[in-house]
Amino acid sequence: MSQCPYCLNENPMYFYMGTRGVYCRKCVAYIQEKESTSSWDVSKNPELSMNYALTSAQLACSKAIASECMTSSVLVEAVCGAGKTELVLEAIKEGLKNKIKIGWAIPRRQVVIELTQRLTKLFPKSKVICVCQGFTSITDGDLIVCTTHQLFRYPHWFDLLIMDEPDAFPFKGNQVLQMIAQKSCRGHMIYLTATVDDYLKSRVSAGKCKHVILNERPHKHPVVEPKMLIRPRWTLYLIVYMLIRDMSRQWIIFVPSMNMAKNLSWLLRCDYITSKSSNKDEIIRRFSRRENRILVSTTILERGVTFENIHVCVLLANHSVFDEASLVQMSGRVGRTFKFPTGDCVFLCDQKEEFVISCIKKIQQANRSVYGVQNH
Amino acid sequence: MIHFLQRRAVCIRCERKLCLEKKCLAIQNLKVHYFIVYNEQIEELLYRYKEQKDEACGKLFFENHIGWIQRKFKGYKIIYLPSSKEKIEERGFHHLEVMCQRISIEKIHALSKKNKVLQKHQSKENRANILKHFEIDVSMLKNTDNILLVDDVCTTGGSLLAAHTLVLPHVAKVEALVFTVSAHLIEPQRNKEQ
């Protein structure tokens, strides 16, 4: 075997001769047995039923994406809460009309399940399929929504593959998943992200990818600009305490480690959520119902969640666990709804760090491109 | 020296992390030899080997103690704890056979499973009933004095004891070799020692 058919690995170190023959150890953990591949002919007459109107900026982007994605890959750079999902609906509709294979790949399973439910309502006449762990019995339909792990089922399959948040864990930096994604797309890709990484930037500058930018949220309020406070480490905890004193405000406090989340939640007498929490859904539900005012979280809640009227504080924002992208995402949790379009976002640091400053600059730049220079 | 390093399945640094030490415990009348107490790393390793079917991991389990196993159990014959045929077919390889591939002790397939019963899905009480699902081929045990039962994980000891009960009437001595045992099997042993 000179090249792995799944992850395109060519390094002979990863090939192993077992009882079943030669296999690639680099991607064996991602490749499971293909349980079912029932084939499905694409339905005719797709219908998009959206019961709310897009803003003029969203409409312009949506049309641009729909026309560009037929001829080349498109990078959609939109600020957090700009409605990235809505932007590609037009492109999907066009694709379904032309009977091409369309896939929507997302790194996180929970988001796949939620998005499938949403897309099923939006495209009532089309068969929207959810493929992720626990949902693998049906693998073909009009529109396949899957985790990036499941793309191995579709080699050279998609004419249009929408990569949602390619800068999210576990897709980010995972060469095997990136190769599997590349291999599954025979046509063009649409990348949806708020934080463009170097790889995508290089693709745009090389002319391989069209760039569509949307820096305006549907409620037309600017993205909340974080405030950076640099203080000695021990005073940061006092500042957190001062911030959360106002009983009418709901706060998410992001911390860099699970241990710190546990300790801080003990100090503040509140819930905490980490990737190891067994009752994640319950904690999120309680917080969104406003039964808990404070929630301490690791980066697990940095993207894919929307709470109404919350404020965000990032403790030790200069910690190496965070980077520019994760800080942008965390600050993007504030002011996402029409009812509460503003809020507070505070980055507490014990040292000045380049990526914290560049995160704030990036948000300011995005706001300026739409609203011009603002006085604060 | 290079030859010695090339032969190792686990590098010295990883081996230290794994803390493989030869240890022994008794479950009722059965002497069980093991190398490590079940932990998160071992769980991951076994998951990669058995569920994700990375056969190359099979080398990691007994490889560094092959010499000791061959010396200690000279004159023994190995019997693998039975797995269901469906599971082996689905996996594509017999996990215990691959683990013991390089151990030059005669192996016999005297035990088999009648039904597809997975111990990990059973309750603690039901695990003890595994005996009724095992079958023994006595003809294979002729001219055999000592038997070594081999398994990867020992959680409650139910399977090992069932195999022990079936094999013991036909041979003189039975011992068991497993790669890892769960922590709660060790604790009563430690308390006794104290």
PDB file of all heavy atoms in Angstrom, chain A residues 16-21 23 25-26 28-33 133 276, chain B residues 40 47-48 52-57 59 90-94 98 101:
ATOM      1  N   TYR A  16       0.497  -1.156   8.814  1.00  0.00           N
ATOM      2  CA  TYR A  16       0.753  -2.366   9.602  1.00  0.00           C
ATOM      3  C   TYR A  16       0.096  -3.560   8.930  1.00  0.00           C
ATOM      4  O   TYR A  16      -1.052  -3.476   8.477  1.00  0.00           O
ATOM      5  CB  TYR A  16       0.198  -2.190  11.015  1.00  0.00           C
ATOM      6  CG  TYR A  16       0.508  -3.363  11.924  1.00  0.00           C
ATOM      7  CD1 TYR A  16       1.769  -3.519  12.486  1.00  0.00           C
ATOM      8  CD2 TYR A  16      -0.463  -4.328  12.199  1.00  0.00           C
ATOM      9  CE1 TYR A  16       2.067  -4.595  13.302  1.00  0.00           C
ATOM     10  CE2 TYR A  16      -0.174  -5.413  13.017  1.00  0.00           C
ATOM     11  CZ  TYR A  16       1.091  -5.529  13.564  1.00  0.00           C
ATOM     12  OH  TYR A  16       1.377  -6.605  14.369  1.00  0.00           O
ATOM     13  N   MET A  17       0.851  -4.641   8.876  1.00  0.00           N
ATOM     14  CA  MET A  17       0.334  -5.858   8.263  1.00  0.00           C
ATOM     15  C   MET A  17      -0.318  -6.704   9.345  1.00  0.00           C
ATOM     16  O   MET A  17       0.366  -7.286  10.172  1.00  0.00           O
ATOM     17  CB  MET A  17       1.505  -6.610   7.595  1.00  0.00           C
ATOM     18  CG  MET A  17       1.102  -7.904   6.938  1.00  0.00           C
ATOM     19  SD  MET A  17       0.085  -7.582   5.503  1.00  0.00           S
ATOM     20  CE  MET A  17      -0.373  -9.232   5.062  1.00  0.00           C
ATOM     21  N   GLY A  18      -1.608  -6.744   9.369  1.00  0.00           N
ATOM     22  CA  GLY A  18      -2.320  -7.519  10.382  1.00  0.00           C
ATOM     23  C   GLY A  18      -2.989  -8.730   9.771  1.00  0.00           C
ATOM     24  O   GLY A  18      -2.762  -9.055   8.600  1.00  0.00           O
ATOM     25  N   THR A  19      -3.826  -9.408  10.552  1.00  0.00           N
ATOM     26  CA  THR A  19      -4.535 -10.594  10.062  1.00  0.00           C
ATOM     27  C   THR A  19      -5.482 -10.233   8.922  1.00  0.00           C
ATOM     28  O   THR A  19      -5.712 -11.018   8.019  1.00  0.00           O
ATOM     29  CB  THR A  19      -5.364 -11.202  11.222  1.00  0.00           C
ATOM     30  OG1 THR A  19      -4.586 -11.118  12.404  1.00  0.00           O
ATOM     31  CG2 THR A  19      -5.732 -12.637  10.966  1.00  0.00           C
ATOM     32  N   ARG A  20      -6.038  -9.023   9.008  1.00  0.00           N
ATOM     33  CA  ARG A  20      -7.003  -8.603   7.980  1.00  0.00           C
ATOM     34  C   ARG A  20      -6.329  -8.025   6.743  1.00  0.00           C
ATOM     35  O   ARG A  20      -6.993  -7.574   5.835  1.00  0.00           O
ATOM     36  CB  ARG A  20      -7.917  -7.516   8.556  1.00  0.00           C
ATOM     37  CG  ARG A  20      -8.778  -7.969   9.685  1.00  0.00           C
ATOM     38  CD  ARG A  20      -9.377  -6.755  10.383  1.00  0.00           C
ATOM     39  NE  ARG A  20      -8.344  -5.937  11.015  1.00  0.00           N
ATOM     40  CZ  ARG A  20      -8.489  -4.662  11.345  1.00  0.00           C
ATOM     41  NH1 ARG A  20      -9.593  -4.046  11.077  1.00  0.00           N
ATOM     42  NH2 ARG A  20      -7.516  -4.000  11.946  1.00  0.00           N
ATOM     43  N   GLY A  21      -5.012  -7.975   6.742  1.00  0.00           N
ATOM     44  CA  GLY A  21      -4.279  -7.361   5.637  1.00  0.00           C
ATOM     45  C   GLY A  21      -3.643  -6.068   6.101  1.00  0.00           C
ATOM     46  O   GLY A  21      -3.613  -5.780   7.304  1.00  0.00           O
ATOM     47  N   TYR A  23      -3.287  -2.229   6.935  1.00  0.00           N
ATOM     48  CA  TYR A  23      -4.165  -1.100   7.242  1.00  0.00           C
ATOM     49  C   TYR A  23      -3.339   0.078   7.728  1.00  0.00           C
ATOM     50  O   TYR A  23      -2.182  -0.074   8.107  1.00  0.00           O
ATOM     51  CB  TYR A  23      -5.248  -1.496   8.256  1.00  0.00           C
ATOM     52  CG  TYR A  23      -4.742  -1.765   9.656  1.00  0.00           C
ATOM     53  CD1 TYR A  23      -4.675  -0.745  10.597  1.00  0.00           C
ATOM     54  CD2 TYR A  23      -4.321  -3.028  10.039  1.00  0.00           C
ATOM     55  CE1 TYR A  23      -4.213  -0.990  11.886  1.00  0.00           C
ATOM     56  CE2 TYR A  23      -3.855  -3.272  11.313  1.00  0.00           C
ATOM     57  CZ  TYR A  23      -3.801  -2.261  12.233  1.00  0.00           C
ATOM     58  OH  TYR A  23      -3.332  -2.493  13.497  1.00  0.00           O
ATOM     59  N   ARG A  25      -2.515   2.872  10.370  1.00  0.00           N
ATOM     60  CA  ARG A  25      -2.720   3.110  11.797  1.00  0.00           C
ATOM     61  C   ARG A  25      -3.040   4.573  12.091  1.00  0.00           C
ATOM     62  O   ARG A  25      -3.493   4.905  13.178  1.00  0.00           O
ATOM     63  CB  ARG A  25      -1.465   2.710  12.576  1.00  0.00           C
ATOM     64  CG  ARG A  25      -1.197   1.215  12.559  1.00  0.00           C
ATOM     65  CD  ARG A  25      -0.242   0.842  13.647  1.00  0.00           C
ATOM     66  NE  ARG A  25      -0.813   1.051  14.948  1.00  0.00           N
ATOM     67  CZ  ARG A  25      -0.110   1.378  16.022  1.00  0.00           C
ATOM     68  NH1 ARG A  25       1.182   1.521  15.940  1.00  0.00           N
ATOM     69  NH2 ARG A  25      -0.705   1.541  17.187  1.00  0.00           N
ATOM     70  N   LYS A  26      -2.786   5.430  11.118  1.00  0.00           N
ATOM     71  CA  LYS A  26      -3.026   6.860  11.351  1.00  0.00           C
ATOM     72  C   LYS A  26      -4.529   7.147  11.435  1.00  0.00           C
ATOM     73  O   LYS A  26      -4.963   7.976  12.217  1.00  0.00           O
ATOM     74  CB  LYS A  26      -2.400   7.658  10.210  1.00  0.00           C
ATOM     75  CG  LYS A  26      -2.100   9.082  10.569  1.00  0.00           C
ATOM     76  CD  LYS A  26      -1.285   9.751   9.505  1.00  0.00           C
ATOM     77  CE  LYS A  26      -0.965  11.174   9.908  1.00  0.00           C
ATOM     78  NZ  LYS A  26      -0.193  11.866   8.888  1.00  0.00           N
ATOM     79  N   VAL A  28      -7.006   4.531  11.581  1.00  0.00           N
ATOM     80  CA  VAL A  28      -7.819   3.363  11.966  1.00  0.00           C
ATOM     81  C   VAL A  28      -8.849   3.718  13.042  1.00  0.00           C
ATOM     82  O   VAL A  28      -9.957   3.174  13.069  1.00  0.00           O
ATOM     83  CB  VAL A  28      -6.926   2.169  12.393  1.00  0.00           C
ATOM     84  CG1 VAL A  28      -6.255   2.418  13.719  1.00  0.00           C
ATOM     85  CG2 VAL A  28      -7.722   0.888  12.454  1.00  0.00           C
ATOM     86  N   ALA A  29      -8.515   4.687  13.881  1.00  0.00           N
ATOM     87  CA  ALA A  29      -9.436   5.067  14.950  1.00  0.00           C
ATOM     88  C   ALA A  29     -10.674   5.787  14.401  1.00  0.00           C
ATOM     89  O   ALA A  29     -11.706   5.826  15.046  1.00  0.00           O
ATOM     90  CB  ALA A  29      -8.723   5.966  15.952  1.00  0.00           C
ATOM     91  N   TYR A  30     -10.553   6.344  13.208  1.00  0.00           N
ATOM     92  CA  TYR A  30     -11.674   7.104  12.647  1.00  0.00           C
ATOM     93  C   TYR A  30     -12.525   6.260  11.702  1.00  0.00           C
ATOM     94  O   TYR A  30     -13.653   6.605  11.407  1.00  0.00           O
ATOM     95  CB  TYR A  30     -11.147   8.325  11.879  1.00  0.00           C
ATOM     96  CG  TYR A  30     -10.362   9.256  12.752  1.00  0.00           C
ATOM     97  CD1 TYR A  30      -8.973   9.189  12.815  1.00  0.00           C
ATOM     98  CD2 TYR A  30     -11.005  10.185  13.548  1.00  0.00           C
ATOM     99  CE1 TYR A  30      -8.252  10.038  13.630  1.00  0.00           C
ATOM    100  CE2 TYR A  30     -10.296  11.029  14.372  1.00  0.00           C
ATOM    101  CZ  TYR A  30      -8.921  10.951  14.405  1.00  0.00           C
ATOM    102  OH  TYR A  30      -8.212  11.786  15.218  1.00  0.00           O
ATOM    103  N   ILE A  31     -11.938   5.197  11.194  1.00  0.00           N
ATOM    104  CA  ILE A  31     -12.634   4.405  10.189  1.00  0.00           C
ATOM    105  C   ILE A  31     -13.325   3.235  10.870  1.00  0.00           C
ATOM    106  O   ILE A  31     -12.680   2.327  11.373  1.00  0.00           O
ATOM    107  CB  ILE A  31     -11.644   3.849   9.124  1.00  0.00           C
ATOM    108  CG1 ILE A  31     -10.694   4.941   8.645  1.00  0.00           C
ATOM    109  CG2 ILE A  31     -12.389   3.179   7.974  1.00  0.00           C
ATOM    110  CD1 ILE A  31     -11.336   6.097   7.943  1.00  0.00           C
ATOM    111  N   GLN A  32     -14.627   3.265  10.924  1.00  0.00           N
ATOM    112  CA  GLN A  32     -15.355   2.118  11.453  1.00  0.00           C
ATOM    113  C   GLN A  32     -15.978   1.378  10.281  1.00  0.00           C
ATOM    114  O   GLN A  32     -15.879   1.819   9.148  1.00  0.00           O
ATOM    115  CB  GLN A  32     -16.451   2.585  12.411  1.00  0.00           C
ATOM    116  CG  GLN A  32     -15.927   3.295  13.628  1.00  0.00           C
ATOM    117  CD  GLN A  32     -16.667   4.595  13.872  1.00  0.00           C
ATOM    118  OE1 GLN A  32     -17.820   4.734  13.522  1.00  0.00           O
ATOM    119  NE2 GLN A  32     -15.978   5.545  14.469  1.00  0.00           N
ATOM    120  N   GLU A  33     -16.615   0.264  10.612  1.00  0.00           N
ATOM    121  CA  GLU A  33     -17.279  -0.490   9.548  1.00  0.00           C
ATOM    122  C   GLU A  33     -18.414   0.349   8.973  1.00  0.00           C
ATOM    123  O   GLU A  33     -19.130   1.025   9.696  1.00  0.00           O
ATOM    124  CB  GLU A  33     -17.858  -1.799  10.110  1.00  0.00           C
ATOM    125  CG  GLU A  33     -16.815  -2.777  10.582  1.00  0.00           C
ATOM    126  CD  GLU A  33     -15.814  -3.155   9.515  1.00  0.00           C
ATOM    127  OE1 GLU A  33     -16.245  -3.471   8.389  1.00  0.00           O
ATOM    128  OE2 GLU A  33     -14.606  -3.117   9.787  1.00  0.00           O
ATOM    129  N   GLN A 133     -22.296   9.717  15.658  1.00  0.00           N
ATOM    130  CA  GLN A 133     -22.288   8.566  16.557  1.00  0.00           C
ATOM    131  C   GLN A 133     -23.703   8.320  17.098  1.00  0.00           C
ATOM    132  O   GLN A 133     -24.328   9.227  17.633  1.00  0.00           O
ATOM    133  CB  GLN A 133     -21.343   8.832  17.711  1.00  0.00           C
ATOM    134  CG  GLN A 133     -21.008   7.597  18.489  1.00  0.00           C
ATOM    135  CD  GLN A 133     -20.241   7.923  19.751  1.00  0.00           C
ATOM    136  OE1 GLN A 133     -20.012   9.065  20.082  1.00  0.00           O
ATOM    137  NE2 GLN A 133     -19.832   6.903  20.458  1.00  0.00           N
ATOM    138  N   LYS A 276     -15.608  16.868  31.042  1.00  0.00           N
ATOM    139  CA  LYS A 276     -15.799  15.652  31.835  1.00  0.00           C
ATOM    140  C   LYS A 276     -17.104  15.667  32.618  1.00  0.00           C
ATOM    141  O   LYS A 276     -17.446  14.672  33.252  1.00  0.00           O
ATOM    142  CB  LYS A 276     -14.618  15.478  32.795  1.00  0.00           C
ATOM    143  CG  LYS A 276     -13.284  15.258  32.095  1.00  0.00           C
ATOM    144  CD  LYS A 276     -12.765  13.857  32.324  1.00  0.00           C
ATOM    145  CE  LYS A 276     -11.630  13.493  31.380  1.00  0.00           C
ATOM    146  NZ  LYS A 276     -10.326  13.783  31.889  1.00  0.00           N
TER     147      LYS A 276
ATOM    148  N   GLU B  40      -7.196   4.603  33.309  1.00  0.00           N
ATOM    149  CA  GLU B  40      -7.705   5.295  32.120  1.00  0.00           C
ATOM    150  C   GLU B  40      -6.859   5.001  30.878  1.00  0.00           C
ATOM    151  O   GLU B  40      -7.385   4.797  29.791  1.00  0.00           O
ATOM    152  CB  GLU B  40      -7.701   6.801  32.385  1.00  0.00           C
ATOM    153  CG  GLU B  40      -9.016   7.472  32.021  1.00  0.00           C
ATOM    154  CD  GLU B  40      -9.062   8.887  32.519  1.00  0.00           C
ATOM    155  OE1 GLU B  40      -8.486   9.748  31.862  1.00  0.00           O
ATOM    156  OE2 GLU B  40      -9.674   9.114  33.586  1.00  0.00           O
ATOM    157  N   TYR B  47      -9.381  -0.050  24.231  1.00  0.00           N
ATOM    158  CA  TYR B  47     -10.418   0.420  23.304  1.00  0.00           C
ATOM    159  C   TYR B  47      -9.844   0.513  21.893  1.00  0.00           C
ATOM    160  O   TYR B  47     -10.458   0.090  20.929  1.00  0.00           O
ATOM    161  CB  TYR B  47     -10.937   1.786  23.765  1.00  0.00           C
ATOM    162  CG  TYR B  47     -12.051   2.322  22.897  1.00  0.00           C
ATOM    163  CD1 TYR B  47     -13.340   1.819  23.001  1.00  0.00           C
ATOM    164  CD2 TYR B  47     -11.803   3.303  21.951  1.00  0.00           C
ATOM    165  CE1 TYR B  47     -14.359   2.290  22.194  1.00  0.00           C
ATOM    166  CE2 TYR B  47     -12.818   3.786  21.134  1.00  0.00           C
ATOM    167  CZ  TYR B  47     -14.091   3.276  21.270  1.00  0.00           C
ATOM    168  OH  TYR B  47     -15.091   3.745  20.458  1.00  0.00           O
ATOM    169  N   ARG B  48      -8.636   1.065  21.817  1.00  0.00           N
ATOM    170  CA  ARG B  48      -8.006   1.195  20.497  1.00  0.00           C
ATOM    171  C   ARG B  48      -7.745  -0.190  19.900  1.00  0.00           C
ATOM    172  O   ARG B  48      -7.939  -0.411  18.712  1.00  0.00           O
ATOM    173  CB  ARG B  48      -6.693   1.980  20.623  1.00  0.00           C
ATOM    174  CG  ARG B  48      -6.102   2.264  19.272  1.00  0.00           C
ATOM    175  CD  ARG B  48      -4.945   3.204  19.284  1.00  0.00           C
ATOM    176  NE  ARG B  48      -4.376   3.219  17.948  1.00  0.00           N
ATOM    177  CZ  ARG B  48      -4.509   4.203  17.079  1.00  0.00           C
ATOM    178  NH1 ARG B  48      -5.163   5.262  17.391  1.00  0.00           N
ATOM    179  NH2 ARG B  48      -3.962   4.127  15.880  1.00  0.00           N
ATOM    180  N   GLN B  52     -11.438  -0.283  18.145  1.00  0.00           N
ATOM    181  CA  GLN B  52     -11.020   0.413  16.920  1.00  0.00           C
ATOM    182  C   GLN B  52     -10.156  -0.479  16.029  1.00  0.00           C
ATOM    183  O   GLN B  52      -9.709  -0.051  14.967  1.00  0.00           O
ATOM    184  CB  GLN B  52     -10.281   1.701  17.268  1.00  0.00           C
ATOM    185  CG  GLN B  52     -11.189   2.702  17.977  1.00  0.00           C
ATOM    186  CD  GLN B  52     -10.509   3.998  18.325  1.00  0.00           C
ATOM    187  OE1 GLN B  52      -9.295   4.057  18.474  1.00  0.00           O
ATOM    188  NE2 GLN B  52     -11.281   5.038  18.481  1.00  0.00           N
ATOM    189  N   LYS B  53      -9.937  -1.690  16.480  1.00  0.00           N
ATOM    190  CA  LYS B  53      -9.296  -2.754  15.685  1.00  0.00           C
ATOM    191  C   LYS B  53      -7.876  -2.408  15.236  1.00  0.00           C
ATOM    192  O   LYS B  53      -7.511  -2.680  14.101  1.00  0.00           O
ATOM    193  CB  LYS B  53     -10.178  -3.087  14.472  1.00  0.00           C
ATOM    194  CG  LYS B  53     -11.546  -3.577  14.895  1.00  0.00           C
ATOM    195  CD  LYS B  53     -12.550  -3.398  13.807  1.00  0.00           C
ATOM    196  CE  LYS B  53     -13.948  -3.546  14.371  1.00  0.00           C
ATOM    197  NZ  LYS B  53     -14.974  -3.200  13.433  1.00  0.00           N
ATOM    198  N   ASP B  54      -7.111  -1.783  16.090  1.00  0.00           N
ATOM    199  CA  ASP B  54      -5.709  -1.514  15.759  1.00  0.00           C
ATOM    200  C   ASP B  54      -4.877  -2.702  16.243  1.00  0.00           C
ATOM    201  O   ASP B  54      -4.413  -2.737  17.383  1.00  0.00           O
ATOM    202  CB  ASP B  54      -5.262  -0.215  16.441  1.00  0.00           C
ATOM    203  CG  ASP B  54      -3.886   0.214  15.972  1.00  0.00           C
ATOM    204  OD1 ASP B  54      -3.319  -0.486  15.107  1.00  0.00           O
ATOM    205  OD2 ASP B  54      -3.384   1.229  16.451  1.00  0.00           O
ATOM    206  N   GLU B  55      -4.709  -3.648  15.330  1.00  0.00           N
ATOM    207  CA  GLU B  55      -4.085  -4.924  15.696  1.00  0.00           C
ATOM    208  C   GLU B  55      -2.649  -4.753  16.173  1.00  0.00           C
ATOM    209  O   GLU B  55      -2.146  -5.560  16.961  1.00  0.00           O
ATOM    210  CB  GLU B  55      -4.127  -5.840  14.463  1.00  0.00           C
ATOM    211  CG  GLU B  55      -4.054  -7.297  14.791  1.00  0.00           C
ATOM    212  CD  GLU B  55      -4.117  -8.150  13.532  1.00  0.00           C
ATOM    213  OE1 GLU B  55      -4.796  -7.758  12.571  1.00  0.00           O
ATOM    214  OE2 GLU B  55      -3.481  -9.209  13.534  1.00  0.00           O
ATOM    215  N   ALA B  56      -1.989  -3.706  15.698  1.00  0.00           N
ATOM    216  CA  ALA B  56      -0.583  -3.484  16.068  1.00  0.00           C
ATOM    217  C   ALA B  56      -0.423  -3.327  17.581  1.00  0.00           C
ATOM    218  O   ALA B  56       0.639  -3.637  18.129  1.00  0.00           O
ATOM    219  CB  ALA B  56      -0.064  -2.249  15.350  1.00  0.00           C
ATOM    220  N   CYS B  57      -1.473  -2.873  18.276  1.00  0.00           N
ATOM    221  CA  CYS B  57      -1.397  -2.693  19.730  1.00  0.00           C
ATOM    222  C   CYS B  57      -1.274  -4.030  20.453  1.00  0.00           C
ATOM    223  O   CYS B  57      -0.869  -4.068  21.623  1.00  0.00           O
ATOM    224  CB  CYS B  57      -2.630  -1.968  20.255  1.00  0.00           C
ATOM    225  SG  CYS B  57      -2.782  -0.308  19.672  1.00  0.00           S
ATOM    226  N   LYS B  59       0.825  -6.179  20.318  1.00  0.00           N
ATOM    227  CA  LYS B  59       2.205  -6.440  20.737  1.00  0.00           C
ATOM    228  C   LYS B  59       2.527  -5.840  22.098  1.00  0.00           C
ATOM    229  O   LYS B  59       3.463  -6.248  22.754  1.00  0.00           O
ATOM    230  CB  LYS B  59       3.160  -5.828  19.712  1.00  0.00           C
ATOM    231  CG  LYS B  59       3.402  -6.668  18.496  1.00  0.00           C
ATOM    232  CD  LYS B  59       4.489  -6.012  17.692  1.00  0.00           C
ATOM    233  CE  LYS B  59       4.852  -6.865  16.494  1.00  0.00           C
ATOM    234  NZ  LYS B  59       5.931  -6.245  15.740  1.00  0.00           N
ATOM    235  N   GLU B  90     -16.319 -10.059  13.540  1.00  0.00           N
ATOM    236  CA  GLU B  90     -16.528  -8.620  13.348  1.00  0.00           C
ATOM    237  C   GLU B  90     -15.204  -7.858  13.488  1.00  0.00           C
ATOM    238  O   GLU B  90     -14.915  -6.941  12.737  1.00  0.00           O
ATOM    239  CB  GLU B  90     -17.524  -8.148  14.413  1.00  0.00           C
ATOM    240  CG  GLU B  90     -17.962  -6.709  14.238  1.00  0.00           C
ATOM    241  CD  GLU B  90     -18.519  -6.130  15.520  1.00  0.00           C
ATOM    242  OE1 GLU B  90     -19.251  -6.830  16.234  1.00  0.00           O
ATOM    243  OE2 GLU B  90     -18.186  -4.961  15.811  1.00  0.00           O
ATOM    244  N   ARG B  91     -14.394  -8.299  14.462  1.00  0.00           N
ATOM    245  CA  ARG B  91     -13.116  -7.621  14.710  1.00  0.00           C
ATOM    246  C   ARG B  91     -12.086  -7.972  13.645  1.00  0.00           C
ATOM    247  O   ARG B  91     -11.223  -7.165  13.316  1.00  0.00           O
ATOM    248  CB  ARG B  91     -12.618  -8.021  16.097  1.00  0.00           C
ATOM    249  CG  ARG B  91     -11.510  -7.153  16.616  1.00  0.00           C
ATOM    250  CD  ARG B  91     -11.081  -7.565  18.001  1.00  0.00           C
ATOM    251  NE  ARG B  91     -12.065  -7.265  19.012  1.00  0.00           N
ATOM    252  CZ  ARG B  91     -12.443  -8.103  19.975  1.00  0.00           C
ATOM    253  NH1 ARG B  91     -11.924  -9.311  20.042  1.00  0.00           N
ATOM    254  NH2 ARG B  91     -13.350  -7.744  20.853  1.00  0.00           N
ATOM    255  N   GLY B  92     -12.171  -9.194  13.134  1.00  0.00           N
ATOM    256  CA  GLY B  92     -11.230  -9.613  12.096  1.00  0.00           C
ATOM    257  C   GLY B  92     -10.011 -10.330  12.632  1.00  0.00           C
ATOM    258  O   GLY B  92      -9.195 -10.836  11.871  1.00  0.00           O
ATOM    259  N   PHE B  93      -9.839 -10.359  13.946  1.00  0.00           N
ATOM    260  CA  PHE B  93      -8.729 -11.108  14.546  1.00  0.00           C
ATOM    261  C   PHE B  93      -9.107 -11.513  15.968  1.00  0.00           C
ATOM    262  O   PHE B  93      -9.976 -10.879  16.583  1.00  0.00           O
ATOM    263  CB  PHE B  93      -7.425 -10.294  14.549  1.00  0.00           C
ATOM    264  CG  PHE B  93      -7.501  -8.982  15.295  1.00  0.00           C
ATOM    265  CD1 PHE B  93      -7.165  -8.895  16.637  1.00  0.00           C
ATOM    266  CD2 PHE B  93      -7.916  -7.813  14.647  1.00  0.00           C
ATOM    267  CE1 PHE B  93      -7.233  -7.696  17.323  1.00  0.00           C
ATOM    268  CE2 PHE B  93      -7.992  -6.598  15.326  1.00  0.00           C
ATOM    269  CZ  PHE B  93      -7.644  -6.547  16.665  1.00  0.00           C
ATOM    270  N   HIS B  94      -8.451 -12.598  16.454  1.00  0.00           N
ATOM    271  CA  HIS B  94      -8.698 -13.037  17.831  1.00  0.00           C
ATOM    272  C   HIS B  94      -7.750 -12.255  18.727  1.00  0.00           C
ATOM    273  O   HIS B  94      -6.535 -12.420  18.631  1.00  0.00           O
ATOM    274  CB  HIS B  94      -8.456 -14.547  17.931  1.00  0.00           C
ATOM    275  CG  HIS B  94      -8.944 -15.140  19.224  1.00  0.00           C
ATOM    276  ND1 HIS B  94      -8.542 -14.668  20.442  1.00  0.00           N
ATOM    277  CD2 HIS B  94      -9.814 -16.153  19.474  1.00  0.00           C
ATOM    278  CE1 HIS B  94      -9.126 -15.381  21.398  1.00  0.00           C
ATOM    279  NE2 HIS B  94      -9.922 -16.272  20.834  1.00  0.00           N
ATOM    280  N   VAL B  98      -3.509 -12.790  19.103  1.00  0.00           N
ATOM    281  CA  VAL B  98      -2.507 -11.795  18.676  1.00  0.00           C
ATOM    282  C   VAL B  98      -1.635 -11.388  19.856  1.00  0.00           C
ATOM    283  O   VAL B  98      -0.421 -11.246  19.725  1.00  0.00           O
ATOM    284  CB  VAL B  98      -3.206 -10.559  18.064  1.00  0.00           C
ATOM    285  CG1 VAL B  98      -2.205  -9.476  17.704  1.00  0.00           C
ATOM    286  CG2 VAL B  98      -3.987 -10.951  16.826  1.00  0.00           C
ATOM    287  N   GLN B 101       0.873 -14.185  20.444  1.00  0.00           N
ATOM    288  CA  GLN B 101       1.492 -14.691  19.224  1.00  0.00           C
ATOM    289  C   GLN B 101       2.941 -15.126  19.423  1.00  0.00           C
ATOM    290  O   GLN B 101       3.363 -16.177  18.969  1.00  0.00           O
ATOM    291  CB  GLN B 101       1.455 -13.581  18.168  1.00  0.00           C
ATOM    292  CG  GLN B 101       1.170 -14.066  16.790  1.00  0.00           C
ATOM    293  CD  GLN B 101       0.851 -12.882  15.879  1.00  0.00           C
ATOM    294  OE1 GLN B 101       1.302 -11.760  16.110  1.00  0.00           O
ATOM    295  NE2 GLN B 101       0.070 -13.120  14.856  1.00  0.00           N
TER     296      GLN B 101
END
